[in-house]
Amino acid sequence: METKHKEQVAEFLKSMYAAKKFKKLKPHNNTNNSFDVTLKVSGYSQLNLMVSDLLKASILLLHHDAPSLPSHTVNTDINVMTLLEIALQLLPEEEMELLDELCKIQL
């Protein structure tokens, strides 16, 4: 029975690998516990708007008046820490360094 179960699991894994259904997560630096996710944006303006919206939503949810807002405005199931972590990961750090250098040249 156990051999048959192992064969079924092996066949299932083989079919899942062949189907390539798990495309969203890409291994990060060949580690088992960290992945990259591609996020398509039309440019830095859209990226900036996304980060701004995440931060605004987090501020709204953390604001002391948030519980008194109408229920359709605030969803208490939202994990604010997750929103903040996403916003932090979306910030274009290297590009900001380039902007600093360009700013120094211009000044």
Side-chain angles (χ1 to χ4, degrees), residues 44-94:
Y44 285 103
S45 294
Q46 184 184 13
L47 178 61
N48 188 55
L49 287 173
M50 291 172 69
V51 173
S52 287
D53 287 343
L54 287 167
L55 293 172
K56 288 174 188 176
S58 298
I59 289 168
L60 176 66
L61 291 168
L62 290 172
H63 195 272
H64 68 278
D65 290 339
S68 65
L69 294 173
S71 60
H72 69 277
T73 307
V74 176
N75 181 348
T76 56
D77 294 337
I78 296 172
N79 186 336
V80 178
M81 289 299 295
T82 301
L83 294 177
L84 293 171
E85 288 171 359
I86 292 169
L88 186 60
Q89 290 178 28
L90 289 175
L91 288 172
E93 295 175 24
E94 293 178 12

Side-chain angles (χ1 to χ4, degrees), residues 12-73:
F12 173 75
L13 292 174
K14 184 178 173 183
S15 67
M16 290 303 298
Y17 181 76
K20 297 188 181 197
K21 296 286 184 188
F22 299 104
K23 298 178 183 179
K24 187 60 84 175
L25 298 179
K26 311 269 189 291
H28 178 73
N29 294 335
N30 297 324
T31 61
N32 290 334
N33 58 355
S34 184
F35 298 91
D36 289 328
V37 177
T38 302
L39 180 66
K40 295 182 187 211
V41 294
S42 62
Y44 285 103
S45 294
Q46 184 184 13
L47 178 61
N48 188 55
L49 287 173
M50 291 172 69
V51 173
S52 287
D53 287 343
L54 287 167
L55 293 172
K56 288 174 188 176
S58 298
I59 289 168
L60 176 66
L61 291 168
L62 290 172
H63 195 272
H64 68 278
D65 290 339
S68 65
L69 294 173
S71 60
H72 69 277
T73 307

